[in-house]
């Protein structure tokens, strides 16, 4: 009881009263999700006392900062470019990239990155950055883009990896290759030379005395010291020195020349002499090389300056060195050295962001001008820096200053719109409404219509509600309807009109989180908590957002269903360990610890049993919660982090999944496991051959299930063809290795799928049956496919129905079952799939194809366009382009093809359709 009292004390504050629980029990809901894309919907808890609150209930203690209220809910203005006509914008980008000069392509891909950022697809964004890096010509752009790619991979989170390490064998991602000017299309996929170079020792034992004694015919006096040199060798260093030593100056006739006034030291002048004889700078201490650099600038010794520049650049190994050497580089205009220092500072992000000396190099106007003088201040540099800063702390002064520099570097209209819009978003968060409004207005003048939503929000915050409403109504009347327009206007509307706007927003864009949250809280205020849970389940079912899980946890606490609340909070903090609940007042650890006192906790063995049960029911959120509890008991278990990775991948939470995978790699106690996890990381970033090499190396150390499974997965992930038998062999080897039933069930399921592709239906059946025996429920889907191939369509339908009985809220199962039925039954299953997960594109494509078969062309195009409006999917664009081509609307067909190629440049079918449409 003492522990409970101590925990309660942590939460004491304003008296809080939860909603009265309804007569019904709490609802346990689960579901899958899609990639997080929208910003967090903010809310502030109500601190008003409710006379009908549950007196003395645990819920009162657990909601210390009040229950969320509808009048405190609001969505964030997203800090991205959001074109009204996204498809046309992407098509235009494609056309410009095809027609532009090679030197302009890199920036076009950065523009594409800025436009696609609102979709929240990490792989798509990484492809844009890689394309930008691939076409970069100048050293500065290569340095920034290489560091940006490293940041996107979050290599800073990998223990034992230096910021200047090569992360792959590709030359595009080599930090040394970034310091080479130019673009060679034939070498962009070459292997990096870092993996081919052997360490070469340099013989620096040079007999200085002997060299100095030979042929010396002139002495340079520095203070009381004389340095004997060879006149013609010193003269050969530069034209000014040659003029001095062989021209009409008095020094040409003198054997002793006073150099005390030049500022060079005795040691420095000896180094000049030795360099003139050997043309090497690697013999000297760095301080001496810096003197040589200064001397080279003073006397225009270009070769010496270049050698010093390159040598000093090779010495940059840590932030402290970079901060010192970049000052010399800027002072002496040693651009190669500046680039090397800049590269290290950028590759140390986000850590270097916390170093005030580093930020001093970038933040001020004067700092930007200094970098510009060396050719190292650009829009892409400040775009990268400001993105990192916004992720770390949106409202910091550093973020504001970096965005100010970004605005100053903006030259093109889209750049100005982006800089101004993002600055407006940050100032809005800082509650600097007047300044934010100015930025949004300027961004709107640069043709960014979405910034008008920011403008309206600023007016609303300054008490101009009607003005905000009028502005959004004007936007709705003048432009093509988009979900965010109605969402924004709903903030300034009231009563039924407000709900109508929210419903329209959801209809136009079901991925917007705010409408679901508002409707859920409204139901809770009307004491319909169960209905509130069902409403928020609608978005959680296909888009797993931390703030939605938080809200559902509030509801469960309100009806004292602490088990479900604990599940949601544990899953939430798997997604975002740094999330703070209850208007950012309470940390996750404290709340989980408190809720755990309300819920009976089992042993680690009990957790494994729970994990099996929830995994077999396809309860991914419940599985995340169980693994979170298991990690509390055994925090150093890399296997559990790997399980989190697999679950989060299935939930399409890419960033959270990769964070867990990096943790698994760092926590791994054995080399063979670490290699497997590194293989998965490489596979995710598109480095297939390297991932296979990691799997092979792991197998050579110890044969394990995960190593064989990884290799089989990578090979099967591409077109199988003749590799099928080898993949079967690998999976069979994996199954023979020790592992638990959850992973073996997956291997059996994958093996069954490959057997089906090879026409070996009996072997596939055995695999699926064995998988079902160890509770791998998804094997029902494989058995249904076999029934269908054996012309037993009714049996296939029944098999899928068994899976639906175990996981009734899974859209993909309804979608799959629709293939085994006709007419209204198929339509009902596809409609259910769309209701559960509107992001799944197959139902739209199927319905559109049916309409096209019925010669309802406009209805078919409308069905596909409905989904493209909020998910510009490659297959959907290809299908719509085919529809347009079939009805003779070639201009629209070409436009859709161009947008699709912008998303996936190597999609053969779309390229063929594009050429066909253009040919007509």
């Amino acid at each position: 009881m003492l522990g409970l009292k101590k925990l309660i004390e942590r939460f004491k504050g304003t008296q809080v009263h939860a909603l009265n629980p309804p007569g019904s029990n709490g609802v346990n809901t689960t579901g899958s999700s899609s990639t997080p894309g929208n910003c967090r919907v903010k809310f502030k808890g109500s601190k008003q006392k409710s006379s009908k609150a549950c007196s003395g209930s645990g819920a009162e203690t657990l909601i210390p900062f009040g229950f969320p209220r509808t009048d405190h809910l609001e969505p964030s203005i997203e800090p991205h470019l959001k074109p009204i006509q996204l498809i046309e914008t992407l098509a235009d980008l494609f056309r410009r990239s095809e027609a532009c000069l090679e030197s302009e392509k890199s920036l076009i891909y950065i523009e594409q990155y800025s436009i696609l950022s609102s979709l929240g697809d990490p792989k798509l964004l990484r492809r844009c950055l890689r394309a930008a890096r691939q076409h970069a010509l100048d050293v500065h752009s290569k340095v920034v883009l290489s560091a940006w790619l490293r940041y996107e991979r979050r290599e800073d989170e990998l223990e034992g990896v230096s910021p200047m390490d090569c992360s792959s064998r590709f030359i595009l991602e080599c930090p040394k290759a970034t310091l080479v000017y130019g673009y060679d299309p034939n070498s962009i996929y070459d292997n990096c030379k870092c993996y081919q170079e052997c360490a070469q020792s340099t013989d620096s034992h040079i007999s200085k005395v002997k060299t100095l004694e030979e042929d010396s015919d002139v002495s340079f006096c520095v203070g009381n010291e004389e340095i004997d040199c060879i006149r013609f060798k010193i003269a050969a260093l530069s034209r000014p020195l040659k003029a001095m030593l062989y021209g009409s100056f008095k020094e040409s006739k003198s054997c002793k020349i006073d150099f005390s006034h030049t500022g060079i030291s005795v040691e420095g002048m000896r180094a000049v002499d030795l360099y003139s004889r050997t043309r090497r700078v690697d013999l000297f201490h760095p301080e001496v090389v810096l003197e040589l650099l200064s001397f080279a600038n003073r006397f225009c010794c270009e070769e010496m300056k270049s050698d010093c520049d390159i040598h000093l650049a090779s010495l940059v190994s840590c932030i402290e060195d970079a901060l010192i050497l970049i000052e010399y580089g800027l002072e002496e205009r040693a651009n190669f050295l500046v680039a090397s220092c800049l590269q290290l500072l950028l590759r140390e992000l986000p850590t270097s962001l916390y170093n005030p000396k580093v930020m001093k190099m970038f933040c001020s106007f004067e700092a930007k001008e200094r970098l510009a003088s060396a050719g190292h201040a650009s829009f892409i540099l400040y775009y990268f820096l400001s993105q990192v800063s916004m992720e770390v702390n949106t409202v910091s002064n550093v973020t504001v200053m970096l965005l100010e520099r970004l605005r100053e570097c903006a030259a093109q209209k889209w750049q100005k719109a982006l800089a101004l819009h993002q600055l407006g978003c940050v100032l809005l968060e800082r509650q600097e409404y007047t300044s934010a409004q100015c930025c949004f207005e300027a961004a709107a003048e640069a043709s960014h219509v979405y910034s008008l939503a920011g403008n309206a929000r600023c007016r609303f915050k300054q008490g101009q509600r009607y003005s905000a409403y009028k502005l959004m109504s004007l936007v709705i009347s003048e432009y093509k309807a988009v979900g965010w327009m109605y969402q924004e206007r709903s903030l300034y509307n009231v009563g039924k009109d407000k709900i109508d706007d929210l419903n329209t927003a959801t209809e136009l864009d079901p991925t917007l989180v705010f409408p679901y949250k508002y409707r859920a809280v409204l139901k809770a205020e009307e004491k319909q908590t169960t209905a509130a849970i069902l409403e928020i389940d609608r978005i959680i079912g296909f888009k797993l957002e931390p703030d939605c899980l938080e809200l559902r946890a509030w509801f469960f606490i309100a009806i004292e269903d602490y088990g479900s609340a604990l599940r949601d909070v544990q899953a939430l903090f798997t997604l975002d360990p740094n999330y703070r609940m209850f208007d950012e007042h309470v940390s996750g650890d404290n709340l989980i610890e408190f809720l755990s006192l309300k819920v009976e906790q089992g042993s680690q063995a009990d957790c494994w049993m729970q994990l099996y049960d929830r995994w077999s029911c396809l309860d991914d959120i419940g599985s995340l919660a169980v693994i979170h509890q298991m990690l509390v008991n055994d925090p150093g278990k890399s296997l559990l982090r790997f399980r989190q990775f697999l679950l989060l991948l299935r939930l399409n939470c890419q960033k959270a999944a990769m964070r867990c995978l990096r943790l698994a790699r760092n926590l791994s106690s054995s080399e063979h496991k670490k290699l497997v996890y590194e293989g998965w990381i490489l596979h995710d970033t598109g480095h297939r051959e390297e991932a296979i090499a990691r799997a092979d190396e792991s197998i050579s150390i110890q044969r394990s299930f995960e190593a064989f499974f990884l290799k089989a997965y990578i090979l099967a992930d591409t077109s199988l063809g003749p590799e099928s038998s080898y993949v079967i062999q690998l999976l069979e080897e994996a199954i023979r290795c020790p592992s638990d039933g959850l992973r073996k069930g997956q291997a059996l399921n994958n093996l069954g799928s490959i057997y089906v592709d090879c026409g070996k239906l009996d072997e596939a059946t055995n695999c699926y049956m064995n998988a079902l025996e160890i509770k791998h429920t998804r094997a029902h889907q494989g058995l249904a496919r076999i029934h269908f191939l054996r012309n037993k369509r009714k049996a296939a339908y029944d098999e899928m129905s068994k899976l639906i009985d175990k996981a009734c809220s899974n859209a993909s199962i309804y979608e799959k079952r629709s293939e085994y039925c006709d007419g209204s039954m198929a339509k009902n299953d596809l409609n259910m799939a769309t209701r559960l997960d509107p992001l799944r594109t197959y139902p739209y494509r199927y319905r559109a194809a049916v309409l096209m078969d019925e010669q309802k062309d406009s209805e078919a195009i409308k069905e596909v366009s409905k989904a493209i409006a909020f998910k510009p999917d490659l297959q959907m664009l290809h299908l719509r382009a085919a529809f347009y081509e079939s009805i003779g609307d070639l201009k629209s067909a070409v436009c859709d093809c161009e947008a699709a190629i912008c998303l996936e440049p190597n999609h053969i079918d779309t390229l063929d359709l594009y050429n066909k449409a253009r040919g007509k």
Side-chain angles (χ1 to χ4, degrees):
M1 287 303 295
L2 285 174
L4 178 62
K5 287 180 179 178
K6 287 181 179 179
L7 280 166
I8 292 174
E9 287 298 321
R10 296 186 197 176
F11 294 100
K12 278 188 176 178
T14 306
Q15 181 65 41
V16 175
H17 304 277
L19 297 180
N20 289 329
S24 60
N25 294 326
V27 180
N28 278 294
T29 56
T30 61
S32 64
S33 141
S34 181
T35 308
N38 291 307
C39 298
R40 178 179 177 183
V41 179
K42 300 176 291 182
F43 58 81
K44 297 181 180 180
S46 166
K47 298 186 179 182
Q48 295 178 358
K49 187 171 180 178
S50 171
S51 60
K52 295 185 179 181
C54 306
S55 176
S57 71
E60 291 183 35
T61 305
L62 288 170
I63 309 181
F65 299 99
F67 200 82
R69 285 177 17 187
T70 51
D71 57 344
H72 287 162
L73 281 168
E74 66 176 45
S76 297
I77 301 294
E78 294 182 43
H80 308 299
L81 292 181
K82 293 170 73 77
I84 295 292
Q85 296 181 312
L86 177 59
I87 304 307
E88 291 79 2
T89 302
L90 292 176
D92 177 63
L93 275 172
F94 171 77
R95 290 191 295 271
R96 285 162 49 203
S97 69
E98 290 293 296
C100 71
L101 299 172
E102 188 61 47
S103 59
E104 298 170 340
K105 281 193 174 182
S106 184
L107 199 56
I108 285 179
Y109 285 113
I110 292 298
E111 183 179 354
Q112 183 179 328
Y113 174 94
S114 71
I115 289 168
L116 295 176
S117 291
S118 62
L119 301 181
D121 185 340
K123 289 189 176 181
L124 196 58
L125 296 179
R126 191 181 301 131
R127 185 185 299 142
C128 295
L129 290 177
R130 282 182 61 82
R133 166 63 185 89
Q134 174 182 327
H135 292 279
L137 292 175
D138 60 287
V139 169
H140 172 76
S141 296
K142 290 181 179 182
V143 163
V144 175
L145 292 167
S146 177
W148 201 337
L149 279 165
R150 182 180 191 274
Y151 176 77
E152 288 292 325
R153 292 191 299 269
R154 295 315 305 257
E155 287 184 19
D156 58 290
E157 294 180 4
L158 295 177
E159 292 179 359
V161 176
S162 165
M164 300 305 288
D165 284 348
C166 262
S167 59
S168 76
R169 295 181 186 272
F170 289 122
I171 199 167
L172 276 184
E173 300 180 34
C174 171
K176 291 182 180 178
T178 63
L179 299 176
V180 179
Y181 181 86
Y183 166 70
D184 181 1
N186 298 317
S187 68
I188 54 175
Y189 296 112
D190 288 353
N191 285 340
C192 172
K193 294 180 181 178
C194 295
Y195 287 84
Q196 304 166 3
E197 290 176 351
C198 298
Q200 297 177 352
S201 59
T202 303
D203 181 14
S204 60
H205 299 290
I206 297 176
S207 176
K208 297 181 183 180
V209 176
K210 182 179 179 182
T211 305
L212 288 170
E213 290 175 351
E214 287 184 38
D215 305 320
S216 298
D217 57 357
V218 66
S219 297
F220 288 87
C221 301
V222 179
N224 297 324
E225 295 283 341
E226 293 184 8
I227 297 91
D228 296 330
C229 303
I230 303 173
R231 183 182 291 268
F232 83 89
K233 286 187 177 291
I234 296 294
L237 293 178
S238 73
R239 293 180 68 181
L241 286 172
K242 183 179 180 180
M244 181 182 75
L245 296 173
Y246 287 104
S248 57
F249 296 96
K250 66 178 182 179
E251 287 85 356
S252 64
K253 296 180 175 56
S254 175
C255 294
K256 290 185 179 181
I257 300 172
D258 185 12
F259 254 35
S260 300
H261 62 281
T262 63
I264 195 168
S265 68
V266 173
E267 190 176 2
M269 195 59 221
R270 285 179 179 148
V272 171
D273 171 47
L274 191 52
Y275 176 82
S276 73
R277 301 169 192 244
T278 64
R279 298 298 168 125
R280 291 173 59 181
V281 295
D282 58 327
L283 311 173
F284 313 121
H285 196 273
E287 281 82 354
V288 175
V289 180
L290 287 170
E291 274 202 81
L292 286 179
L293 178 63
S294 180
F295 179 91
N297 262 330
R298 185 178 184 113
F299 291 99
C300 305
C301 306
E302 295 302 326
E303 184 181 350
M304 180 191 286
K305 178 180 179 179
S306 177
D307 290 343
C308 292
D309 195 1
I310 292 170
H311 178 68
L312 288 169
S314 70
L315 302 179
V316 181
S317 59
C318 63
I319 288 181
E320 289 72 22
D321 289 346
L323 287 171
I324 293 170
L325 290 173
I326 197 171
E327 291 292 341
Y328 283 101
L330 290 169
E331 185 70 27
E332 301 294 345
R333 301 184 300 283
N335 293 343
F336 197 82
L337 175 58
V338 174
S340 183
C341 294
L342 180 64
Q343 176 164 247
L344 186 134
L345 296 177
L346 295 178
R347 291 174 75 90
E348 283 278 10
L349 289 168
T351 305
S352 56
L353 199 66
Y354 299 100
N355 188 320
K357 293 181 180 178
V358 173
M359 286 302 99
K360 187 178 178 182
M361 292 298 308
F362 299 114
C363 287
S364 69
F365 174 80
E366 293 74 21
K368 187 207 72 174
E369 290 299 300
R370 287 190 72 203
L371 288 171
S373 68
H376 286 288
S378 67
F379 180 83
I380 60 168
L381 170 66
Y382 283 99
Y383 188 12
F384 174 35
L385 287 169
S386 60
Q387 295 308 106
V388 176
S389 187
M390 287 171 72
E391 285 188 27
V392 173
N393 186 351
T394 304
V395 298
S396 69
N397 290 333
V398 167
T399 301
V400 174
M401 287 189 284
L402 290 173
L403 286 170
E404 289 282 6
R405 305 293 81 77
L406 180 68
R407 181 173 64 174
E408 292 161 3
C409 292
Q412 299 179 23
K413 182 180 282 189
W414 73 268
Q415 295 173 347
K416 294 175 182 177
L418 177 67
L420 288 162
H421 180 75
Q422 290 194 331
L423 183 57
C425 291
V426 170
L427 294 173
L428 177 63
E429 290 291 316
R430 287 164 60 100
Q431 300 181 13
E432 299 175 25
Y433 302 126
T434 303
S435 299
Q437 185 175 346
C438 291
C439 290
F440 285 129
E441 287 173 349
E445 287 176 8
S447 302
H448 188 231
V449 177
Y450 179 58
S451 293
L452 293 173
N455 186 352
R457 190 74 63 88
C458 292
R459 295 185 187 190
F460 175 65
K461 292 291 185 181
Q462 296 174 87
Q464 303 169 34
R465 183 177 192 138
Y466 183 62
S467 175
Y469 174 81
K470 281 176 57 180
L471 177 58
M472 290 313 302
S473 295
L474 182 63
V475 171
I476 290 170
S477 66
E478 289 192 358
Y479 297 97
K480 175 185 173 184
V482 185
W484 61 260
M485 297 177 181
Y486 288 90
Q487 173 180 270
E488 190 64 30
R489 191 175 71 173
S490 72
L491 294 175
Y492 322 124
N493 224 325
V494 292
K496 183 179 179 299
D497 290 339
K498 188 184 195 80
I499 300 301
D500 288 344
D501 274 352
L502 289 170
N503 292 340
T504 303
T506 300
E507 183 181 345
L508 291 170
D509 185 355
T511 67
L512 294 172
V513 174
F514 173 73
Y516 299 94
K517 294 192 69 171
Y518 186 92
R519 289 189 294 260
V521 174
L522 182 62
K523 286 178 169 63
E525 287 179 344
E526 295 169 351
K527 300 181 176 57
Q528 302 175 42
T529 312
T530 302
I533 292 170
L534 291 173
E535 177 64 31
I536 203 65
D537 281 347
R538 289 176 60 196
I539 184 74
I540 290 175
F542 68 91
K543 188 169 185 176
L544 199 59
E545 295 278 6
D547 54 334
C548 291
L549 284 172
E550 177 188 13
L551 185 57
R552 192 167 72 172
W554 282 72
F555 295 151
F556 282 129
I557 290 171
I559 60 175
E560 302 188 27
D561 183 355
Y562 300 122
S564 297
L566 178 60
R567 177 205 62 202
D568 281 354
V569 174
Q570 288 171 324
L572 187 165
F573 287 102
T574 302
L575 285 174
D576 184 356
N578 299 317
Y579 193 93
R580 293 185 67 83
M581 296 186 66
F582 302 137
D583 199 26
E584 303 188 7
H585 285 96
V586 180
S587 70
D589 290 340
N590 289 345
L591 185 58
I592 289 172
E593 187 180 353
F594 193 83
L595 284 170
S596 297
L597 298 176
K598 295 279 187 177
V599 180
E600 184 179 352
Q601 300 295 306
S603 64
Q604 198 76 339
D606 294 329
C607 287
W608 273 110
M609 294 301 296
Q610 289 178 42
L611 185 58
Y612 267 84
D613 289 339
R614 296 190 180 188
W615 197 287
S616 65
C617 293
L618 308 189
D619 178 4
D620 294 335
I621 294 177
S623 299
L624 282 177
V626 173
I627 293 176
H628 188 282
Q629 178 58 40
M630 294 169 78
L631 281 166
V632 172
N633 301 332
D634 191 358
K637 194 81 168 178
S638 63
L639 172 66
L640 295 176
R641 291 292 183 186
F642 183 63
R643 291 297 163 81
Q644 284 182 325
F645 158 71
L646 295 172
L647 280 165
L648 289 165
L649 267 191
R650 199 152 76 188
L651 289 163
N652 290 327
C653 301
Q654 181 76 12
K655 285 191 175 182
M658 296 311 297
R659 176 178 43 78
C660 290
L661 182 56
R662 290 189 291 269
L663 279 171
R665 182 259 186 201
N666 291 342
L667 292 169
S668 181
S669 58
S670 59
E671 185 64 20
H672 75 274
K673 289 181 181 177
K674 181 180 288 187
L675 287 166
V676 169
Y677 301 146
E678 288 178 355
W680 280 105
I681 292 171
L682 288 165
H683 173 65
D684 175 76
T685 52
H687 299 123
R688 179 177 180 267
E689 297 302 325
E690 292 181 84
I692 292 174
R694 291 289 202 284
D696 286 336
E697 189 177 349
S698 178
I699 291 168
S700 70
I701 298 172
Q702 182 172 323
R703 298 165 65 84
S704 67
F705 172 91
E706 293 298 351
F708 281 115
F709 185 90
L710 170 62
K711 187 172 182 180
Y713 183 88
I714 296 169
L715 292 173
D717 200 28
T718 54
S719 55
L720 277 172
E723 293 182 334
S724 297
S725 58
Y726 185 44
V727 173
I728 289 172
Q729 181 185 339
L730 289 170
L731 287 171
E732 288 174 342
E733 289 288 348
I735 292 167
R736 281 193 283 270
C737 293
S739 186
D740 59 76
L742 295 175
R743 295 297 285 146
K744 286 200 173 181
Q746 184 65 62
L748 285 164
N749 197 61
N750 289 10
L751 183 57
S753 179
I754 295 169
Y755 275 135
V756 170
D757 291 339
C758 297
K760 300 179 179 180
L761 301 187
D762 291 337
E763 291 89 339
T765 301
N766 289 333
C767 287
Y768 290 132
M769 295 302 293
N770 290 334
L772 285 174
E773 286 180 8
I774 51 178
K775 292 188 173 184
H776 190 80
T777 315
R778 291 180 185 270
H780 283 297
Q781 188 167 314
L783 285 175
R785 186 181 175 197
I786 292 173
H787 289 316
F788 179 72
L789 292 172
R790 287 175 170 163
N791 295 319
K792 298 178 180 179
R793 198 168 188 181
K794 175 67 167 59
Y797 181 87
D798 292 341
E799 196 70 42
M800 290 304 298
S801 298
K802 293 177 185 177
L803 186 51
I804 287 175
D805 290 339
K806 296 177 181 178
C808 61
S809 297
N810 193 298
S812 65
I813 303 172
Y814 284 98
E815 180 182 298
K816 194 67 181 174
R817 191 175 71 170
S818 72
E819 298 177 19
Y820 309 130
C821 55
D822 294 314
S824 61
M825 293 176 68
K827 183 178 179 181
N828 290 337
D829 274 354
L830 289 172
N831 289 342
M832 175 61 79
T834 300
R835 277 200 299 273
L836 292 172
D837 184 355
L839 291 175
R840 298 192 71 84
T841 60
Y842 174 77
Y844 299 97
R845 288 186 281 125
Y846 179 89
R847 289 189 291 261
V850 170
L851 290 166
M852 207 67 182
D853 289 341
E854 296 171 353
Q855 296 185 340
K856 298 178 180 178
D857 302 338
S858 59
E859 291 91 333
I861 292 172
K862 184 178 180 181
E863 178 67 24
V864 179
S865 301
K866 189 193 310 180
I868 289 175
F870 58 86
K871 187 180 182 182
D873 176 79
L874 170 68
Q875 292 179 319
M876 301 285 277
L877 286 168
H878 175 83
L879 181 62
R880 191 171 72 172
F883 287 169
Y884 279 132
E885 192 270 341
S886 69
I887 63 173
D889 188 350
L890 299 180
K891 183 179 179 182
S892 298
V894 167
C895 180
D896 277 356
C897 284
E898 288 170 338
I901 297 169
C902 198
L903 296 175
E904 177 47 78
N906 300 316
H907 192 251
I908 301 299
D909 291 341
T910 303
L911 289 168
D912 290 343
L913 179 60
Y914 177 58
N915 292 327
K916 180 182 176 183
R918 288 185 69 193
K920 288 185 179 181

